[in-house]
Amino acid sequence: MRFPRLLLCLGVWALCGSAKPTERKERVVREAPLSTREHDDAQSFDYDHDAFLGADEAKSFDQLTPEESKERLGKIVGKIDADGDGFVTVEELKAWIKFAQKRWIYEDVERQWKGHDLNEDGLVSWEEYKNATYGYILDDPDPDDGFNYKQMMVRDERRFKMADKDGDLAATKEEFTAFLHPEEYDYMKDIVVQETMEDIDKNGDGFIDLEEYIGDMYSQDGDADEPEWVKTEREQFVEFRDKNRDGKMDKEETKDWILPSDYDHAEAEARHLVYESDQDKDGKLTREEIVDKSDLFVGSQATDFGEALVRHDEF
């Protein structure tokens, strides 16, 4: 019996319920930084390498000679050039950077796919997912752990149907990815907001009031005094979260809170790489232009990408 998605439900979306009472619980979905290094090309291109490859992949390029580095970089250009026209645009480069930064998501989907595509037809149907994830648990009317699995299954089915764009109740790998990681897809963001509101809205009125907002983050647990960060959050709710000042957050206000429109670091980096490498200034890159600036995109023993290109066929 496998419970990978069930653990995701209890772990990721119920993450906020597992923190210590005085610790802050995080609901806001934010993009991770492209690199922990400073972006200063005058000192090094380490930030660019991390952004282009992902930090873990970038490290393995240290073992390559400059010749090997250029050869393998050339191979990956074909993977970035999604439409196969021989040029890499800012949008294609941005998509690649986002892929490199979120490779763990695709690896997670691959692991779960094997456990849910039971008939190996290249699709995961709702029945396959339900049986693999819940199975005999639903036969137990009084589970020891206190979770309402039938309610969780109803919620999962709703999310599955939202991810299933063509409505055939059989998810492609892309639809299954949207189901497992809805925060990564624009068309799934409403379900992220809906599930968050259902978690926090304890009185069921369809809104999140101040006490529900604070109660989701912090449990007083007998403490007489609230931590300073809780007081700050109360001020944040009144001043910024509750935009229409009616004492509660509606769907749009909740969406603005948990899914803020952050600065797009991937797009900024893609534009930077194109600007620095575009010799003929036509706004797009050829394979030759990228390889000529290989030290900007990847490292080597002389200057760091390896595993991503070593495994390029997997992409």
Side-chain angles (χ1 to χ4, degrees), residues 210 233-242 245:
L210 175 59
E233 281 297 337
R234 288 186 181 276
E235 295 171 0
Q236 289 284 316
F237 183 95
V238 173
E239 295 297 324
F240 302 106
R241 310 280 185 248
D242 177 21
R245 302 292 193 271

Side-chain angles (χ1 to χ4, degrees), residues 12-265:
V12 175
W13 291 105
L15 173 65
C16 304
S18 61
K20 295 178 182 179
T22 56
E23 288 181 349
R24 180 172 180 163
K25 303 168 186 176
E26 189 58 74
R27 287 279 185 184
V28 180
V29 177
R30 295 188 185 279
E31 292 280 343
L34 301 182
S35 174
T36 59
R37 305 171 189 265
E38 184 179 357
H39 195 182
D40 184 359
D41 286 358
Q43 297 296 320
S44 78
F45 296 131
D46 288 343
Y47 178 97
D48 301 298
H49 299 168
D50 286 355
F52 183 66
L53 306 166
D56 291 339
E57 304 290 352
K59 292 176 185 176
S60 60
F61 233 69
D62 286 338
Q63 308 305 316
L64 299 178
T65 66
E67 293 75 19
E68 290 172 327
S69 177
K70 288 184 178 182
E71 179 184 355
R72 293 179 179 177
L73 175 59
K75 293 178 181 178
I76 206 170
V77 172
K79 302 294 179 181
I80 304 173
D81 179 17
D83 60 10
D85 67 351
F87 296 96
V88 171
T89 64
V90 169
E91 282 302 310
E92 288 173 329
L93 197 49
K94 171 185 169 182
W96 169 261
I97 291 171
K98 286 183 176 289
F99 169 82
Q101 294 295 317
K102 296 178 179 180
R103 189 174 284 111
W104 69 271
I105 290 177
Y106 300 102
E107 292 172 348
D108 172 57
V109 172
E110 287 295 334
R111 284 193 299 270
Q112 298 213 40
W113 186 265
K114 294 174 183 176
H116 290 95
D117 182 14
L118 304 180
N119 63 4
E120 298 183 350
D121 65 347
L123 298 168
V124 172
S125 69
W126 167 246
E127 287 301 315
E128 284 178 316
Y129 171 77
K130 181 178 69 173
N131 292 335
T133 303
Y134 295 99
Y136 66 85
I137 293 179
L138 298 176
D139 296 331
D140 185 354
D142 187 24
D144 295 334
D145 55 22
F147 289 107
N148 187 333
Y149 292 106
K150 289 186 177 180
Q151 185 176 19
M152 289 169 61
M153 186 182 72
V154 169
R155 183 156 146 159
D156 266 357
E157 184 176 10
R158 181 182 64 192
R159 189 198 289 188
F160 191 97
K161 289 179 177 178
M162 178 73 76
D164 177 29
K165 282 187 169 183
D166 59 10
D168 62 355
L169 289 182
T172 63
K173 192 164 289 186
E174 187 71 11
E175 290 170 336
F176 194 60
T177 304
F179 168 65
L180 294 176
H181 300 277
E183 70 283 356
E184 302 296 332
Y185 291 81
D186 286 340
Y187 81 99
M188 294 293 290
K189 287 184 177 179
D190 282 348
I191 202 74
V192 175
V193 175
Q194 184 176 357
E195 290 180 3
T196 301
M197 294 191 74
E198 289 172 352
D199 289 342
I200 303 175
D201 176 24
K202 300 305 182 185
N203 64 13
D205 66 351
F207 299 92
I208 297 175
D209 61 34
L210 175 59
E211 294 311 312
E212 290 170 331
Y213 175 79
I214 295 298
D216 180 65
M217 299 179 177
Y218 168 73
S219 174
Q220 193 168 19
D221 201 31
D223 294 336
D225 298 322
E226 290 182 341
E228 280 302 316
W229 69 263
V230 177
K231 297 176 183 178
T232 300
E233 281 297 337
R234 288 186 181 276
E235 295 171 0
Q236 289 284 316
F237 183 95
V238 173
E239 295 297 324
F240 302 106
R241 310 280 185 248
D242 177 21
K243 295 181 178 180
N244 62 6
R245 302 292 193 271
D246 65 351
K248 54 195 176 184
M249 288 195 297
D250 57 25
K251 181 179 178 180
E252 286 304 312
E253 290 168 329
T254 302
K255 185 175 183 177
D256 289 344
W257 165 45
I258 66 171
L259 299 171
S261 299
D262 288 339
Y263 177 73
D264 194 331
H265 294 276

